[in-house]
Amino acid sequence: MTKWQQKGPPVHWSQRLHELPVKHVNKLSKEVFASYSGPAGGLTNVEPKQTDGTISWTNKHDRAYGIATSLYEFNPLSKATTGDPIADVLAICARVNSAILVMADGVNWGDKPRLAARCAVKACMSHLNKKLYTGKVNTTRDIFEDMKVAFDEAHRLIMENEGTMTTLTATVVVQIKGSEQFAVCTLNVGDSLGFVYNKESGVREATAGCRDPNQTRDMKLCGGALGPVDGMNPDLTNLTYSLTVAEPGDLVFLTSDGISDNFDPVVAHRAVAERPITAICTCPPTTVEQLEKQDMDELLPCFDPPRRQHDSLRHMEMAIVSMEAPNENLNASTACAKLLQYVVNKTEAKRKRLEELNEQFSGQQDQSPATRRSITKQISSIMQGLPGKLDHAAIVAYQVGHFEIKKRPRSIGHVGNLQEVDDWSCNHPSNFYTDSFSYSPQHFT
């Protein structure tokens, strides 16, 4: 068992459940105040479509919120957004004194990865909703035992429906017995990450143990996945149990790598990665963008992996607390909007430039294979000089604490030019906002 040294309460993690500390928890209330899955219905698209009897999966709330979008460019040839459909799937079920958050990111593009993600979220959420609220859960170890079975069920449902591969991260938040604090229990496989935000200590990563903190992570590899990775078997290489604590008012949130990777200082072009001398390319630049990036790289600081992690968390905190409107009440919905807006803005230049290049080259008819390869190489070279990572991006968040179910008036909050319904009631479906944002000017600046 390892304890992560970050600001705020420690994060304990291990690949062996029995090595984690055990905390006794309060009895879990069954009363639901918010439940949502998306995009486009999320887990409700997997048969049987009615998952948990009385639970409706369209009830967002300002304290229990999720959103997903695509950061990819519009393709003039296909007349669609590259990478569609969105393969990130999220779900949240929040009760009076607990919450379950689940995030899955289908590996690669297409219907099959999205199906895998939907199956994983469906099976995981269904199992946890069924097992955690029987009155038999007394400790965090009981919760982790149920979470492990939920992951087994997720893999089984993927295989039954012939999906491909997906990451999966699940977090259960529940109050510790005899304390005001809440336990944050997380199980993850792959690179969909979990975080806790506290006003005093900032953002810390709850899933930091799923990779070596001293090694540079290859962002092209997810590190582990459910589904048929090896024949009929999943890849559980980085399956990790994590435990930390949160205070009432803290924000617990899960992200796909389309969110988390864009906070990395190297991806955002705030720094360059530390590399051995033998790995440094001495090839001369061949485009204006490459030349400009080379000049910029010489001016940027060089970050090792721990410093990159620290910088990522610091910028997440900055995004959450930035642009606060007068009398703004920071909650799950506003935090999701701010983090997503940061990512959309960070990738805007790359997305627009790629759309311009696609438009430029789409008019060239009868391209030979050699010409297409040359164009692809040229576009790739230009993209390397621009900040950000184009991907599907999803986030689901929960504001920690007890909740009293009551009707409240609807109000509208503003984050820059992004308009959000600031307060939802589970009794008023007409208040629900779309789960998939576009990055058109009326939403983002």
Side-chain angles (χ1 to χ4, degrees):
M1 189 271 290
T2 303
K3 182 171 69 176
W4 265 97
Q5 297 299 323
Q6 303 183 85
K7 295 175 85 174
V11 176
H12 303 272
W13 67 269
S14 177
Q15 292 191 312
R16 299 177 180 85
L17 170 57
H18 68 272
E19 293 184 348
L20 291 180
V22 178
K23 297 184 181 294
H24 288 266
V25 302
N26 285 346
K27 183 178 180 180
L28 307 185
S29 170
K30 294 182 179 181
E31 195 168 11
V32 176
F33 78 82
S35 50
Y36 173 76
S37 184
L43 60 76
T44 65
N45 292 282
V46 181
E47 297 292 344
K49 294 191 175 183
Q50 187 59 39
T51 305
D52 294 289
T54 60
I55 296 179
S56 167
W57 293 102
T58 57
N59 293 341
K60 290 182 181 180
H61 190 276
D62 56 1
R63 285 181 50 186
Y65 187 80
I67 192 167
T69 193
S70 175
L71 303 175
Y72 288 109
E73 77 285 357
F74 179 79
N75 189 310
L77 294 178
S78 63
K79 305 298 183 183
T81 301
T82 299
D84 278 353
I86 296 173
D88 293 353
V89 180
L90 59 93
I92 183 168
C93 186
R95 289 177 165 84
V96 169
N97 65 346
S98 67
I100 304 169
L101 298 82
V102 185
M103 174 70 68
D105 179 357
V107 180
N108 295 319
W109 293 348
D111 292 328
K112 289 290 188 178
R114 180 177 65 172
L115 175 61
R118 285 174 168 176
C119 289
V121 172
K122 167 99 173 214
C124 183
M125 180 63 79
S126 180
H127 182 84
L128 293 177
N129 269 325
K130 180 179 178 181
K131 294 296 184 180
L132 293 182
Y133 300 94
T134 60
K136 298 179 180 179
V137 171
N138 299 306
T139 69
T140 52
R141 179 163 295 177
D142 295 336
I143 293 171
F144 279 122
E145 292 283 4
D146 285 332
M147 294 176 79
K148 178 59 176 72
V149 177
F151 273 49
D152 292 338
E153 289 295 303
H155 176 71
R156 180 189 59 78
L157 191 60
I158 292 170
M159 300 306 295
E160 283 185 3
N161 285 273
E162 300 182 353
T164 52
M165 297 171 290
T166 183
T167 69
L168 183 62
T169 299
T171 292
V172 176
V173 183
V174 58
Q175 189 173 22
I176 299 169
K177 195 168 186 177
S179 171
E180 292 297 318
Q181 293 183 320
F182 285 69
V184 181
C185 307
T186 302
L187 180 59
N188 78 295
V189 62
D191 58 1
S192 296
L193 307 181
F195 304 88
V196 179
Y197 166 76
N198 174 273
K199 289 184 178 180
E200 300 298 325
S201 58
V203 177
R204 66 187 186 277
E205 185 186 341
T207 51
C210 69
R211 61 192 182 280
D212 188 335
N214 296 309
Q215 296 293 323
T216 300
R217 180 173 68 87
D218 186 348
M219 293 184 180
K220 296 179 181 178
L221 303 176
C222 61
L226 300 183
V229 180
D230 179 17
M232 304 290 286
N233 301 315
D235 176 5
L236 304 181
T237 301
N238 75 336
L239 181 77
T240 307
Y241 300 90
S242 306
L243 176 66
T244 188
V245 297
E247 303 289 342
D250 287 358
L251 296 171
V252 175
F253 58 98
L254 309 181
T255 73
S256 65
D257 62 336
I259 297 283
S260 57
D261 284 356
N262 274 300
F263 281 92
D264 182 278
V266 175
V267 174
H269 289 189
R270 295 190 300 270
V272 293
E274 181 183 70
R275 294 180 297 172
I277 298 297
T278 54
I280 298 176
C281 178
T282 57
C283 303
T286 58
T287 66
V288 172
E289 284 82 1
Q290 279 189 331
L291 182 61
E292 291 176 348
K293 185 177 187 303
Q294 178 177 289
D295 292 341
M296 181 182 68
D297 286 352
E298 293 175 356
L299 300 174
L300 293 175
C302 183
F303 283 6
D304 61 12
R307 191 175 179 188
R308 288 175 67 174
Q309 169 76 352
H310 174 78
D311 185 87
S312 297
L313 298 178
R314 185 171 65 87
H315 276 80
M316 278 190 175
E317 178 185 358
M318 292 168 61
I320 290 172
V321 301
S322 68
M323 302 174 293
E324 289 193 16
N327 302 317
E328 178 187 48
N329 180 26
L330 180 63
N331 51 44
S333 65
T334 54
C336 285
K338 290 179 177 184
L339 290 166
L340 185 62
Q341 179 169 333
Y342 171 94
V343 169
V344 169
N345 290 345
K346 183 60 63 177
T347 55
E348 183 72 4
K350 177 170 284 187
R351 183 168 45 255
K352 284 187 174 181
R353 184 71 174 112
L354 192 52
E355 287 173 345
E356 292 170 357
L357 292 170
N358 286 338
E359 187 71 31
Q360 174 185 337
F361 292 120
S362 64
Q364 299 183 13
Q365 303 296 323
D366 302 323
Q367 295 173 354
S368 66
T371 300
R372 287 196 294 271
R373 285 194 298 270
S374 176
I375 291 173
T376 300
K377 184 176 180 180
Q378 182 179 347
I379 291 176
S380 177
S381 175
I382 293 172
M383 290 300 100
Q384 291 176 12
L386 296 171
K389 170 191 169 185
L390 303 185
D391 202 345
H392 299 142
I395 180 170
V396 59
Y398 168 70
Q399 188 169 30
V400 176
H402 285 269
F403 184 85
E404 295 181 5
I405 298 179
K406 58 184 179 180
K407 294 182 180 181
R408 289 183 291 174
R410 178 187 181 188
S411 61
I412 301 294
H414 298 268
V415 182
N417 285 345
L418 171 61
Q419 296 189 5
E420 278 287 325
V421 175
D422 184 63
D423 195 18
W424 285 268
S425 164
C426 55
N427 297 316
H428 296 282
S430 61
N431 288 352
F432 305 147
Y433 196 69
T434 178
D435 56 87
S436 184
F437 278 13
S438 71
Y439 29 75
S440 56
Q442 64 265 30
H443 288 305
F444 297 95
T445 56

Coordinates of all heavy atoms in Angstrom, one line a residue, residues 400-444:
V400 N -19.8 17.2 -2.3 CA -19.9 16.3 -1.1 C -20.8 16.9 -0.1 O -20.7 18.2 0.2 CB -18.5 16.1 -0.6 CG1 -18.5 15.2 0.7 CG2 -17.6 15.4 -1.6
G401 N -21.5 16.1 0.6 CA -22.3 16.6 1.7 C -23.7 15.9 1.8 O -24.0 15.1 0.9
H402 N -24.4 16.2 2.8 CA -25.8 15.8 2.9 C -26.7 16.6 2.1 O -26.4 17.7 1.7 CB -26.3 15.9 4.4 CG -25.7 14.8 5.3 ND1 -26.3 13.6 5.5 CD2 -24.5 14.8 6.0 CE1 -25.5 12.9 6.3 NE2 -24.5 13.6 6.6
F403 N -27.8 16.0 1.7 CA -28.8 16.7 0.8 C -30.2 16.5 1.3 O -30.6 15.4 1.7 CB -28.7 16.2 -0.6 CG -29.5 16.9 -1.6 CD1 -29.1 18.1 -2.2 CD2 -30.8 16.5 -1.9 CE1 -29.9 18.8 -3.0 CE2 -31.6 17.2 -2.8 CZ -31.2 18.4 -3.3
E404 N -30.9 17.6 1.4 CA -32.3 17.6 1.8 C -33.1 17.8 0.5 O -33.0 18.9 -0.1 CB -32.6 18.7 2.8 CG -32.0 18.4 4.2 CD -32.3 19.5 5.2 OE1 -33.2 20.3 4.8 OE2 -31.8 19.5 6.3
I405 N -33.9 16.9 0.2 CA -34.7 17.0 -1.1 C -35.9 18.0 -0.9 O -36.7 17.8 -0.1 CB -35.3 15.6 -1.5 CG1 -34.1 14.6 -1.8 CG2 -36.2 15.7 -2.7 CD1 -34.5 13.2 -2.2
K406 N -35.8 19.0 -1.7 CA -36.9 20.0 -1.6 C -36.9 20.8 -3.0 O -35.9 20.8 -3.7 CB -36.7 21.0 -0.5 CG -35.3 21.7 -0.5 CD -35.2 22.6 0.7 CE -33.8 23.4 0.7 NZ -33.6 24.2 1.9
K407 N -38.0 21.4 -3.3 CA -38.1 22.1 -4.5 C -37.4 23.5 -4.3 O -37.5 24.1 -3.3 CB -39.6 22.4 -4.9 CG -40.3 21.1 -5.3 CD -41.7 21.4 -5.7 CE -42.4 20.1 -6.1 NZ -43.8 20.4 -6.5
R408 N -36.6 23.9 -5.4 CA -36.0 25.2 -5.3 C -36.2 25.9 -6.7 O -36.4 25.2 -7.7 CB -34.5 25.0 -5.1 CG -34.2 24.6 -3.6 CD -32.7 24.5 -3.4 NE -32.1 23.4 -4.2 CZ -30.8 23.2 -4.2 NH1 -30.0 24.0 -3.6 NH2 -30.3 22.2 -4.9
P409 N -36.2 27.2 -6.7 CA -36.4 28.0 -7.9 C -35.3 27.8 -8.9 O -34.1 27.6 -8.5 CB -36.5 29.4 -7.5 CG -35.7 29.4 -6.2 CD -35.9 28.1 -5.5
R410 N -35.6 27.8 -10.2 CA -34.7 27.7 -11.2 C -34.0 29.0 -11.4 O -34.6 30.1 -11.3 CB -35.4 27.3 -12.5 CG -34.5 27.2 -13.7 CD -35.3 27.0 -15.0 NE -34.5 26.9 -16.2 CZ -34.9 26.9 -17.4 NH1 -36.2 27.0 -17.6 NH2 -34.1 26.8 -18.4
S411 N -32.6 29.0 -11.6 CA -31.9 30.2 -11.8 C -30.9 29.9 -12.9 O -30.5 28.8 -13.2 CB -31.1 30.6 -10.6 OG -30.2 29.7 -10.1
I412 N -30.4 30.9 -13.5 CA -29.4 30.8 -14.6 C -28.1 31.3 -14.2 O -28.0 32.4 -13.7 CB -29.9 31.6 -15.9 CG1 -31.2 31.0 -16.3 CG2 -28.9 31.5 -17.0 CD1 -31.2 29.6 -16.8
G413 N -27.0 30.5 -14.5 CA -25.7 31.0 -14.1 C -24.9 31.2 -15.4 O -25.2 30.6 -16.5
H414 N -23.9 32.0 -15.4 CA -23.1 32.3 -16.6 C -21.6 32.1 -16.3 O -21.1 32.5 -15.2 CB -23.3 33.8 -17.0 CG -24.7 34.1 -17.4 ND1 -25.1 34.0 -18.7 CD2 -25.7 34.5 -16.6 CE1 -26.4 34.3 -18.7 NE2 -26.8 34.6 -17.5
V415 N -20.9 31.4 -17.2 CA -19.5 31.2 -17.1 C -18.9 31.7 -18.4 O -19.0 31.0 -19.4 CB -19.1 29.7 -16.9 CG1 -17.6 29.6 -16.8 CG2 -19.8 29.2 -15.6
G416 N -18.4 32.9 -18.4 CA -18.0 33.5 -19.7 C -19.3 33.7 -20.6 O -20.3 34.1 -20.1
N417 N -19.2 33.2 -21.8 CA -20.3 33.2 -22.7 C -21.1 31.8 -22.6 O -22.0 31.6 -23.4 CB -19.9 33.4 -24.1 CG -19.6 34.9 -24.3 OD1 -20.0 35.7 -23.5 ND2 -18.9 35.2 -25.4
L418 N -20.6 30.9 -21.7 CA -21.3 29.6 -21.6 C -22.4 29.8 -20.6 O -22.3 30.1 -19.5 CB -20.3 28.6 -21.0 CG -20.8 27.3 -20.6 CD1 -21.4 26.6 -21.8 CD2 -19.7 26.4 -20.0
Q419 N -23.6 29.5 -21.1 CA -24.8 29.6 -20.3 C -25.2 28.3 -19.8 O -25.3 27.3 -20.5 CB -26.0 30.2 -21.1 CG -25.7 31.7 -21.5 CD -27.0 32.3 -22.1 OE1 -28.1 31.7 -22.1 NE2 -26.9 33.5 -22.6
E420 N -25.4 28.2 -18.5 CA -25.8 26.9 -17.8 C -27.0 27.1 -17.0 O -27.2 28.2 -16.3 CB -24.7 26.4 -17.0 CG -23.6 25.7 -17.8 CD -24.1 24.3 -18.2 OE1 -24.9 23.7 -17.4 OE2 -23.8 23.9 -19.3
V421 N -27.9 26.2 -16.9 CA -28.9 26.2 -15.9 C -28.3 25.9 -14.6 O -27.6 24.8 -14.4 CB -30.0 25.1 -16.2 CG1 -31.0 25.0 -15.1 CG2 -30.7 25.5 -17.5
D422 N -28.3 26.8 -13.6 CA -27.5 26.7 -12.4 C -28.2 25.8 -11.4 O -27.5 25.4 -10.4 CB -27.3 28.1 -11.9 CG -26.4 28.1 -10.6 OD1 -25.2 27.8 -10.8 OD2 -26.9 28.5 -9.6
D423 N -29.4 25.5 -11.5 CA -30.1 24.8 -10.4 C -31.2 23.9 -11.0 O -32.1 24.3 -11.7 CB -30.7 25.7 -9.4 CG -31.1 25.0 -8.1 OD1 -30.6 24.0 -7.9 OD2 -31.9 25.6 -7.4
W424 N -31.0 22.6 -10.8 CA -32.0 21.6 -11.3 C -32.8 21.0 -10.2 O -32.3 20.9 -9.1 CB -31.3 20.5 -12.1 CG -30.9 20.9 -13.4 CD1 -31.5 20.8 -14.6 CD2 -29.6 21.4 -13.7 NE1 -30.7 21.3 -15.6 CE2 -29.5 21.7 -15.1 CE3 -28.5 21.8 -12.9 CZ2 -28.4 22.2 -15.7 CZ3 -27.4 22.3 -13.6 CH2 -27.4 22.5 -15.0
S425 N -34.0 20.6 -10.4 CA -34.8 19.9 -9.5 C -35.2 18.6 -10.1 O -35.5 18.5 -11.3 CB -36.1 20.6 -9.1 OG -37.0 19.8 -8.5
C426 N -35.1 17.5 -9.3 CA -35.4 16.2 -9.9 C -36.9 16.1 -10.2 O -37.4 15.1 -10.8 CB -35.0 15.0 -8.9 SG -35.7 15.2 -7.3
N427 N -37.7 17.1 -9.8 CA -39.1 17.1 -10.1 C -39.5 17.9 -11.3 O -40.6 18.0 -11.6 CB -39.9 17.6 -8.9 CG -39.7 16.8 -7.7 OD1 -39.8 15.5 -7.8 ND2 -39.4 17.4 -6.5
H428 N -38.5 18.5 -12.0 CA -38.8 19.4 -13.1 C -37.9 19.0 -14.3 O -36.8 19.6 -14.5 CB -38.5 20.8 -12.7 CG -39.5 21.3 -11.6 ND1 -40.8 21.6 -11.9 CD2 -39.3 21.4 -10.3 CE1 -41.4 22.0 -10.7 NE2 -40.5 21.9 -9.8
P429 N -38.2 18.0 -15.0 CA -37.4 17.6 -16.2 C -37.2 18.7 -17.2 O -36.3 18.6 -18.0 CB -38.2 16.4 -16.8 CG -39.1 15.9 -15.6 CD -39.4 17.1 -14.8
S430 N -38.2 19.6 -17.3 CA -38.1 20.7 -18.3 C -36.9 21.6 -18.0 O -36.5 22.3 -18.9 CB -39.3 21.5 -18.3 OG -39.5 22.1 -17.1
N431 N -36.3 21.5 -16.9 CA -35.1 22.3 -16.5 C -33.8 21.7 -17.0 O -32.8 22.4 -17.0 CB -35.0 22.5 -15.0 CG -36.1 23.4 -14.5 OD1 -36.8 24.0 -15.2 ND2 -36.2 23.4 -13.1
F432 N -33.8 20.5 -17.5 CA -32.6 19.8 -17.9 C -31.9 20.5 -19.1 O -32.6 20.7 -20.1 CB -32.8 18.3 -18.1 CG -33.4 17.7 -17.0 CD1 -34.3 16.6 -17.2 CD2 -33.2 18.1 -15.7 CE1 -34.9 16.0 -16.1 CE2 -33.8 17.5 -14.6 CZ -34.7 16.4 -14.8
Y433 N -30.6 20.6 -19.0 CA -29.9 21.2 -20.1 C -29.2 20.0 -20.9 O -29.1 18.9 -20.4 CB -28.8 22.1 -19.6 CG -28.2 23.0 -20.7 CD1 -28.9 24.1 -21.2 CD2 -26.9 22.9 -21.1 CE1 -28.4 24.9 -22.2 CE2 -26.4 23.7 -22.1 CZ -27.1 24.7 -22.6 OH -26.6 25.6 -23.5
T434 N -28.8 20.3 -22.2 CA -28.2 19.2 -23.0 C -27.0 18.7 -22.4 O -26.2 19.4 -21.7 CB -27.9 19.8 -24.4 OG1 -27.3 18.7 -25.1 CG2 -27.0 21.0 -24.3
D435 N -26.7 17.4 -22.6 CA -25.5 16.8 -22.0 C -24.3 16.9 -23.0 O -23.2 16.5 -22.6 CB -25.7 15.3 -21.8 CG -26.2 14.6 -23.0 OD1 -25.3 14.2 -23.8 OD2 -27.4 14.5 -23.2
S436 N -24.5 17.4 -24.1 CA -23.4 17.5 -25.1 C -23.3 19.0 -25.6 O -24.1 19.5 -26.3 CB -23.6 16.6 -26.3 OG -22.6 16.6 -27.2
F437 N -22.2 19.6 -25.2 CA -22.0 21.0 -25.6 C -21.3 21.1 -27.0 O -20.6 20.3 -27.4 CB -21.0 21.7 -24.6 CG -21.7 22.2 -23.4 CD1 -23.0 21.8 -23.0 CD2 -21.0 23.0 -22.5 CE1 -23.6 22.2 -21.9 CE2 -21.6 23.4 -21.3 CZ -22.9 23.0 -21.0
S438 N -21.6 22.2 -27.7 CA -20.9 22.6 -28.8 C -19.9 23.7 -28.5 O -20.1 24.3 -27.4 CB -21.8 23.0 -30.0 OG -22.3 24.2 -29.7
Y439 N -18.9 23.9 -29.3 CA -18.0 25.0 -29.0 C -18.2 26.2 -29.9 O -17.2 26.8 -30.4 CB -16.5 24.5 -29.0 CG -16.3 23.4 -30.0 CD1 -16.2 23.6 -31.3 CD2 -16.2 22.1 -29.5 CE1 -16.0 22.5 -32.2 CE2 -15.9 21.0 -30.3 CZ -15.9 21.2 -31.7 OH -15.7 20.2 -32.5
S440 N -19.4 26.4 -30.3 CA -19.7 27.5 -31.1 C -19.6 28.8 -30.3 O -19.6 28.8 -29.1 CB -21.1 27.4 -31.7 OG -22.1 27.3 -30.6
P441 N -19.4 30.0 -31.0 CA -19.2 31.2 -30.3 C -20.2 31.6 -29.2 O -19.8 32.3 -28.3 CB -19.2 32.3 -31.5 CG -18.8 31.5 -32.7 CD -19.4 30.1 -32.5
Q442 N -21.4 31.2 -29.4 CA -22.4 31.6 -28.4 C -22.2 30.8 -27.1 O -22.7 31.2 -26.1 CB -23.8 31.3 -28.9 CG -24.2 29.8 -29.1 CD -24.0 29.4 -30.6 OE1 -23.2 30.0 -31.3 NE2 -24.8 28.5 -31.0
H443 N -21.4 29.7 -27.1 CA -21.1 29.0 -25.9 C -19.8 29.3 -25.3 O -19.6 29.4 -24.1 CB -21.2 27.5 -26.2 CG -22.6 27.0 -26.4 ND1 -23.6 27.2 -25.5 CD2 -23.1 26.3 -27.4 CE1 -24.7 26.7 -25.9 NE2 -24.4 26.1 -27.1
F444 N -18.8 29.5 -26.1 CA -17.4 29.7 -25.6 C -16.7 30.9 -26.3 O -17.0 31.2 -27.4 CB -16.5 28.5 -25.9 CG -17.0 27.2 -25.2 CD1 -17.9 26.3 -25.9 CD2 -16.7 27.0 -23.9 CE1 -18.3 25.2 -25.2 CE2 -17.1 25.9 -23.3 CZ -17.9 25.0 -23.9

